[in-house]
Amino acid sequence: GDLISLAKQSDLPIKKVETWFRHRRAQDRPRLMKKFCEASWRFTFYFTSFFSGLALLYDKPWFWDHTVCWLRFPQQPLPPALGWFYLLELSFYCSLVATLPFDVKRKDFKEQIIHHIATITLIFVSYCANLIRFGMIIMLVHDASDYILELAKMLHYMKWKQVCEAVFIVFAVVFIISRLVVFPLITYYYFVTKFQLFLISCLINTFLMILQLLHVFWSYLIIQMIFGVILHGAKRKDARSDTEESDRSEAEDLAKNK
């Protein structure tokens, strides 16, 4: 009824009015180049961060034996390289919070805000409590899968579908292993049994639990997409054609981009 009324007022066919509205909605959607640039920037940071962290920690005994993280704690010297790495990670996540209103909107916008706030709090508190060794390992575990996701998104924007899906499956495996297996083993076992700081301990445990709940939520989205693609290949196009209107986490981002 509204279309007919507008068509009469503008003296245009209904199809032309519908076409105008479609073009108008398309103008509000993020351009492909913007999404590609955003994914490229994040890929560059996560890739550099992960392999720089590996280079910094490779020769550290506490990287291979996590119980050494608590040796002579809290009187542990802070190497300048680790301090700069910490500040780099903190500044990056602060920038993500600052740019969230301007970035591409995805399905898990609220979850992203919670994740960034929890991450910033953990980085800041662990730095103040001189939990640098523990914090470095946690950040490295998180960065292990992020750059793979951004690479998959870049491949999707380049229309390399088969390579994109293969990379996404690799991301799914790395994400689930690092976030649902390695992360809990490192944090909850060693942190709860070795660390005794009362108020700070409760604060850190709370935010670690928030991160773990987000990991479970995003893992569910990843598994849902993988099984949707494998078991319902005929409906692959429809399942991936949603526009990015709200925010996602790590898997939903790629799923909704498609």
Side-chain angles (χ1 to χ4, degrees):
D2 293 336
L3 285 175
I4 295 174
S5 175
L6 289 172
K8 290 181 179 179
Q9 294 177 23
S10 59
D11 195 22
L12 293 172
I14 295 179
K15 289 186 178 180
K16 286 190 175 181
V17 176
E18 292 178 339
T19 302
W20 185 90
F21 275 107
R22 284 199 297 268
H23 285 291
R24 181 62 186 86
R25 285 196 299 267
Q27 292 178 359
D28 295 331
R29 296 173 183 172
R31 295 179 179 272
L32 185 65
M33 181 58 68
K34 178 181 179 181
K35 295 189 286 186
F36 182 84
C37 291
E38 181 181 316
S40 301
W41 150 241
R42 296 193 181 189
F43 168 79
T44 302
F45 177 84
Y46 289 130
F47 183 87
T48 305
S49 175
F50 176 68
F51 287 100
S52 297
L54 277 181
L56 289 173
L57 301 186
Y58 181 79
D59 60 343
K60 303 294 189 297
W62 44 269
F63 176 69
W64 305 102
D65 183 4
H66 302 318
T67 58
V68 184
C69 287
W70 314 102
L71 189 64
R72 293 190 299 274
F73 176 82
Q75 283 75 34
Q76 295 174 344
L78 174 61
L82 299 188
W84 282 110
F85 186 90
Y86 240 70
L87 292 177
L88 179 65
E89 289 276 348
L90 180 61
S91 61
F92 174 73
Y93 281 102
C94 288
S95 71
L96 290 184
V97 173
T99 58
L100 268 178
F102 312 102
D103 290 338
V104 176
K105 301 297 181 182
R106 311 193 191 280
K107 293 292 183 180
D108 61 345
F109 183 77
K110 295 180 180 179
E111 289 82 0
Q112 285 280 23
I113 294 177
I114 296 173
H115 174 270
H116 295 339
I117 292 176
T119 302
I120 292 171
T121 303
L122 286 171
I123 293 175
F124 179 77
V125 172
S126 62
Y127 184 87
C128 294
N130 200 27
L131 287 167
I132 305 300
R133 297 180 178 180
F134 175 78
M136 284 290 297
I137 296 175
I138 296 303
M139 287 190 290
L140 200 62
V141 170
H142 280 75
D143 291 341
S145 60
D146 290 338
Y147 73 93
I148 305 177
L149 173 65
E150 301 303 329
L151 175 60
K153 291 161 61 178
M154 292 165 58
L155 293 171
H156 167 67
Y157 300 143
M158 295 168 64
K159 309 300 182 182
W160 294 6
K161 294 183 179 180
Q162 293 182 348
V163 181
C164 170
E165 291 178 359
V167 173
F168 185 80
I169 292 175
V170 173
F171 156 75
V173 174
V174 175
F175 183 91
I176 293 174
I177 293 177
S178 61
R179 304 295 181 92
L180 299 187
V181 179
V182 179
F183 179 77
L185 288 177
I186 293 175
T187 55
Y188 302 116
Y189 177 74
Y190 290 107
F191 193 85
V192 172
T193 58
K194 301 292 182 181
F195 191 50
Q196 300 292 333
L197 272 189
F198 304 107
L199 181 60
I200 294 180
S201 177
C202 294
L203 178 64
I204 293 179
N205 277 324
T206 300
F207 282 99
L208 288 175
M209 182 61 67
I210 292 174
L211 286 183
Q212 187 59 41
L213 292 176
L214 291 174
H215 295 164
V216 173
F217 168 71
W218 287 329
S219 297
Y220 166 76
L221 296 179
I222 294 172
I223 295 173
Q224 188 180 48
M225 178 182 176
I226 294 295
F227 276 88
V229 171
I230 295 175
L231 300 180
H232 305 284
K235 300 180 180 180
R236 179 181 303 172
K237 182 177 179 180
D238 295 335
R240 300 183 179 182
S241 61
D242 296 340
T243 57
E244 295 172 310
E245 299 173 350
S246 300
D247 209 354
R248 137 209 156 296
S249 92
E250 285 141 66
E252 183 79 344
D253 200 78
L254 180 61
K256 300 308 173 184
N257 283 340
K258 298 190 177 184

